[in-house]
Amino acid sequence: MDADLHDRLDELQRDPYPLYARARSAEGLTYVPELDSWLVARDADVREVLRRPEDFSSANALRPDVMPAPAALAVLGGGFGGRPVVVTADGALHQELRAPIVRGLSPARVGAVVPYAAERAAALVDDFVKNGEGGRVELMSAYAGRLPGEVIGRLVGFDPDDVPALVHGGRRAEQLLFRPMAEAEQIAAAEDVVATAHLLDAFVRARHADPREDLGTELIASVAGPDAAAELTLDQRHQVVAHLQNLLIAGHLTTTALIGTTVLHLLRDRRQWELLCAEPERIPAAIEEAARYDTALQGFRRVTTRPVTLAGTELPAGTPVFLAFAGANRDASRHPRPDDFDIARPSGSRHLSFGLGTHTCPGSQLAREQLRVTLELLTSRLPGLRLAEGQRITMRPTLIHRSPERLELLW
Ligand code: HEM
């Protein structure tokens, strides 16, 4: 990718909404060179693709925006993982890989982790209130970047001491695959990813020897098969590590992002924050509106498995499309006044922030619970919360974890 294309990709990632608006009003689909894909941005078209997984494969869902240099790929090749994962699988393999994740994120399992989430959320707020000089905090680093990792760590069964390193590894994988970096930086990121994979492998072996009631055990059992007592083969260890790497990226960075954007938009329009403080029963509606308005996972790719026509555009087999959940969520045909953030919006116009159909997000309840815990805590303990004046809020340059880079708050 040349430098000019990099710059345009960066700009697009930081504010993709004008592009979606153009694509929604254009005839047919719009080809976007920066994404190397046809953009699908209307609600009806995104739904159609999600309902036709046999025609639109997920094989390229995690295709990097930026292909790492051969030297970085060589470092990754020496690590663990590199096996099929649920989000890029289709058909029977997809069902097989998804089943243990759905079991591990069942309503009962999620319900059981909520008290821990509430306890950790309160402890993080206590910490920043105690240490926040002059009633000030940078929310992304002090809170939003921490709670989801701790919660998913608990569900999977990680040692809490390992969670910061695992969160760091997830961020490095994201940087490596989605950000342009110099080769030396890419190699350093790849080394971090490999180190994280070894940490995950150590967890897999320990948990196989000592199974528990957690998502980690569920994933291991699904890979180990009927002879659970037998030692895991190297290939099986690779499979579980790949599962865990995928789950970590899918699970915590997205939730971190949504916490950041939710608080940002509520405080940008303080009347909505004040309404929420006065009427906390509106919290579930506020979460749905924030998820719709500034979708954390803006979109994922699909690739056609045969020639298809979508919105009048003919796509030969093997054509990549970028499925913009966030574009669909601003489609006026489903969401009146789509560009207004309004927590009092009548409910029922379902957004696509957690996808739809076979790949629909199995972690949505967990994410929503963490948002609920967060908003209950902040509205009750810090109703005077406001954006620090004079800060320039920039969004992170990514289409998969959209969030403010930093969020300076006062109370
Ligand atoms: C705000 C938070 C979250 C958002 C916005 C989000 C969004 C999504 C979306 C849109 C998809 C569908 C992707 C597609 O169709 O290709 C998805 C899939 C997935 N999500 Fe989430 N997610 C969130 C949180 C979580 C959490 C907390 C977990 C796990 C603990 C999780 C695990 C997954 C997994 C494993 C998949 C792949 C499912 C499959 O391919 O069958 N997500 N997520």
Side-chain angles (χ1 to χ4, degrees), residues 86-87 94 98 105 152 247 250-251 254-255 258 296-297 300 302 325 353-355 358-359 361-363 366-367:
V86 61
V87 73
H94 170 249
R98 186 175 162 97
L105 290 167
I152 195 168
L247 200 64
T254 40
T255 313
L258 187 57
L297 206 175
F300 261 176
R302 296 290 195 266
F325 307 119
S353 305
F354 293 105
T358 48
H359 287 272
C361 180
L366 181 64

Side-chain angles (χ1 to χ4, degrees), residues 50 58 61 85-89 94 98 101 105 152 155 215 246-247 250-259 291 295-297 300-302 323 325 352-356 358-364 366-368 370-371:
L50 290 170
S58 282
V85 291
V86 61
V87 73
T88 51
H94 170 249
R98 186 175 162 97
I101 297 178
L105 290 167
I152 195 168
L155 256 174
L215 179 50
N246 179 58
L247 200 64
H252 70 81
L253 297 176
T254 40
T255 313
T256 293
L258 187 57
I259 292 173
T295 309
L297 206 175
F300 261 176
R301 288 187 178 76
R302 296 290 195 266
L323 213 48
F325 307 119
L352 289 174
S353 305
F354 293 105
L356 180 82
T358 48
H359 287 272
T360 195
C361 180
S364 60
L366 181 64
R368 287 178 164 116
Q370 292 179 75
L371 262 296

Side-chain angles (χ1 to χ4, degrees), residues 380-402:
S380 61
R381 284 198 54 188
L382 301 171
L385 211 57
R386 60 193 186 280
L387 296 175
E389 276 168 33
Q391 67 180 310
R392 188 166 161 266
I393 295 170
T394 48
M395 301 306 279
R396 294 183 62 227
T398 159
L399 290 177
I400 57 170
H401 303 124
R402 180 168 174 80

Side-chain angles (χ1 to χ4, degrees), residues 166 177 208 321 328 405:
L166 295 171
L177 300 178
H208 181 56
V321 296
E405 309 237 27

